[in-house]
Amino acid sequence: MRRAIVTGTATVSGVVLLLGLKPHSDTPLASKGTANNFTINQSDAAGNQPSAPSSSGASGSSGTSPQSGSAPSTSSPPSSAPSSAKSSAKSSAPSSAPAAPKSSAPAPAATTKTVTGDAAVTRYGPVQLAVTFNGKKITQIQVLEYPTETGRDQEINSYAIPQLNQQAMSAQSANIDGVSGATYTSQGYQQSLQSAIDKAGA
Amino acid sequence: MTVRHVEQVMGTVFSIVADDGAGLPAAVSRLHEIDAKFSTYRADSPVSRMARGEAVDRDPEIAEVLRRCAEVEADTDGAFSAYPAGRLDPSGWVKGWAIEEVDRLLTAAGSRNHLIVGGGDVQARGEAELGRPWTVGITDPLHSDRYAVLVNGRDFAIATSGTAERGAHIIDPATAEPATGFASVTLIGTRIAHTDAYATAVFAMGPERGLEWVEERPGFEAYAVLPDGGTVETAGFARFLAG
């Protein structure tokens, strides 16, 4: 079974994850055999690291850390505005992931556990995640399996999966409830993630 | 009791957060029902059959959708059409309308606060929690691991059209050419069906005409990322900015 491990460090909540799994014809469901292992480690923009596991049995920790000022704040000059638009051409192009560094979020006492989500069957092949929770907070997402049947799959997924992780995690840390984007879907990623969250009772 | 649900349907993912899940089963089956009727990917759907020119039993719901599409086409001077490449495809209206149906069914069943995201289009109702509005991130079309901006609101809809994931896929019905003037354009309105259809139309119009068109529409605001990374927004957009 082809496996790839992609790890991310941060957090998620009920975001919709958007991924460019573009359809291509004739892609059979993933077959077995080829190894395709790579590991990507990343931290989210806030530099959040998974809290050290502490072993208290407390389970009522809040899902998101208290944060303030987590809106994007960098700005860049507008480079070209449509000339005839009456709109204010005011720039508001914060571009870094809106996960502001937080100073002293108290780490709630919580147990760390890893839950394997259901393997979601997509038209491109199965997608399966393992999600590590510290209390209710997601500290790591590993992609156990994703479609790698074709070079195109590999190209898309080696690019998209780290970004999905990043997006998922920065979303939670910035307390974002949803994501609007012009995209294809997350399909299996979201499904497997949600099933892991459901199983964890997070 | 907050419920979360993710449903894979209509070729995309719907994500629902509601303060009361009583309406969820009806909403989910409604999504599949709409998909079965309107899918352009299912060869056997009535809309696919109509697109092939086959005779189909008259369906009041399909007739209503086509009427709405025609209205939006008139509103947008042809920048939106249910026949984007000469072939029947009302998807530009149907997805947003399906999200509105979920909103309606959840509300009817007692939910007062919910957020429905369907493939990147969002309908927000009420607030995220007492005193906190919903926050929605708009993906940066040039750096998909980032947000271009965050918006806050209660009872609002937000839709983004762009080229980031699918390339230049929005055809300007007026020219039959792919539109390339924006990297992405996001519209904020109150209800997602019009907001989504208008976002598609504005994308086809391009920045100069599109942003002006939005300025003339009460109740709508726009935020755009241009292909070179510059941004432009309508005058009233700033009140939705988070933080």
Side-chain angles (χ1 to χ4, degrees):
Chain A
M1 185 68 72
R2 283 158 290 112
R3 300 266 168 181
I5 306 295
V6 181
T7 61
T9 309
T11 43
V12 183
S13 69
V15 273
V16 162
L17 301 157
L18 305 159
L19 160 60
L21 284 173
K22 306 193 182 187
H24 43 75
S25 51
D26 306 327
T27 303
L29 290 184
S31 57
K32 302 186 177 183
T34 344
N36 180 355
N37 298 316
F38 66 89
T39 301
I40 296 170
N41 290 299
Q42 60 184 19
S43 299
D44 70 10
N48 290 334
Q49 294 298 329
S51 312
S54 63
S55 57
S56 136
S59 59
S61 58
S62 72
T64 51
S65 306
Q67 292 191 48
S68 59
S70 59
S73 56
T74 54
S75 62
S76 56
S79 31
S80 78
S83 54
S84 73
K86 285 180 292 191
S87 23
S88 69
K90 160 186 164 201
S91 165
S92 62
S95 52
S96 51
K102 50 180 191 243
S103 43
S104 59
T111 50
T112 294
K113 61 182 169 182
T114 298
V115 177
T116 301
D118 295 337
V121 178
T122 75
R123 58 198 285 197
Y124 319 96
V127 177
Q128 187 168 32
L129 310 183
V131 182
T132 302
F133 297 85
N134 182 16
K136 289 186 175 183
K137 182 177 180 183
I138 293 173
T139 55
Q140 187 178 61
I141 299 173
Q142 294 175 292
V143 181
L144 300 179
E145 188 173 358
Y146 68 83
T148 53
E149 187 63 27
T150 66
R152 182 65 180 142
D153 280 327
Q154 293 175 28
E155 180 189 332
I156 290 169
N157 288 307
S158 63
Y159 168 81
I161 286 178
Q163 294 198 340
L164 275 173
N165 282 344
Q166 181 81 19
Q167 191 171 19
M169 306 219 182
S170 61
Q172 179 169 313
S173 56
N175 221 2
I176 291 172
D177 302 299
V179 178
S180 177
T183 42
Y184 257 48
T185 69
S186 58
Q187 291 198 322
Y189 186 98
Q190 175 71 31
Q191 276 198 318
S192 189
L193 174 61
Q194 186 66 45
S195 74
I197 292 171
D198 292 346
K199 284 181 191 176
Chain B
M1 170 77 190
T2 300
V3 297
R4 293 180 180 278
H5 182 83
V6 177
E7 187 73 14
Q8 194 172 330
V9 61
M10 300 176 72
T12 187
V13 172
F14 281 66
S15 170
I16 300 166
V17 185
D19 65 10
D20 183 330
L24 209 46
V28 168
S29 60
R30 182 72 174 127
L31 287 175
H32 287 280
E33 180 182 286
I34 291 171
D35 185 43
K37 194 177 285 190
F38 290 92
S39 175
T40 55
Y41 294 92
R42 297 179 177 208
D44 62 342
S45 75
V47 162
S48 289
R49 293 170 53 213
M50 288 172 68
R52 291 196 300 269
E54 295 175 20
V56 174
D57 289 343
R58 187 185 139 71
D59 182 311
E61 211 161 65
I62 294 176
E64 172 71 10
V65 162
L66 296 182
R67 201 154 45 234
R68 293 292 182 181
C69 288
E71 285 173 13
V72 174
E73 181 168 358
D75 281 352
T76 59
D77 298 324
F80 174 94
S81 172
Y83 299 85
R87 185 181 175 85
L88 175 65
D89 180 0
S91 310
W93 175 264
V94 168
K95 187 173 69 171
W97 167 63
I99 294 170
E100 287 191 8
E101 285 290 280
V102 173
D103 174 38
R104 180 177 68 79
L105 290 163
L106 291 174
T107 300
S111 175
R112 291 293 168 265
N113 304 280
H114 44 258
L115 186 82
I116 305 148
V117 187
D121 295 327
V122 182
Q123 178 76 60
R125 191 64 65 201
E127 54 190 12
E129 53 194 81
L130 197 59
R132 181 172 81 81
W134 295 105
T135 300
V136 176
I138 299 171
T139 303
D140 183 336
L142 304 179
H143 307 277
S144 64
D145 57 335
R146 302 174 184 170
Y147 298 107
V149 74
L150 303 183
V151 299
N152 272 344
R154 296 171 173 81
D155 299 313
F156 72 116
I158 180 162
T160 300
S161 285
T163 57
E165 300 290 344
R166 298 171 64 188
H169 70 287
I170 297 175
I171 304 293
D172 179 355
T175 63
E177 295 290 326
T180 56
F182 291 109
S184 78
V185 63
T186 296
L187 257 65
I188 298 181
T190 52
R191 300 184 63 183
I192 190 60
H194 276 96
T195 305
D196 185 21
Y198 284 172
T200 304
V202 169
F203 192 95
M205 290 177 196
E208 302 204 2
R209 187 172 142 228
L211 273 291
E212 192 167 321
W213 185 88
V214 177
E215 285 288 12
E216 291 165 357
R217 298 250 134 197
F220 291 90
E221 300 296 344
Y223 171 87
V225 179
L226 304 175
D228 66 2
T231 68
V232 60
E233 64 195 46
T234 54
F237 177 80
R239 71 192 155 92
F240 289 99
L241 284 173

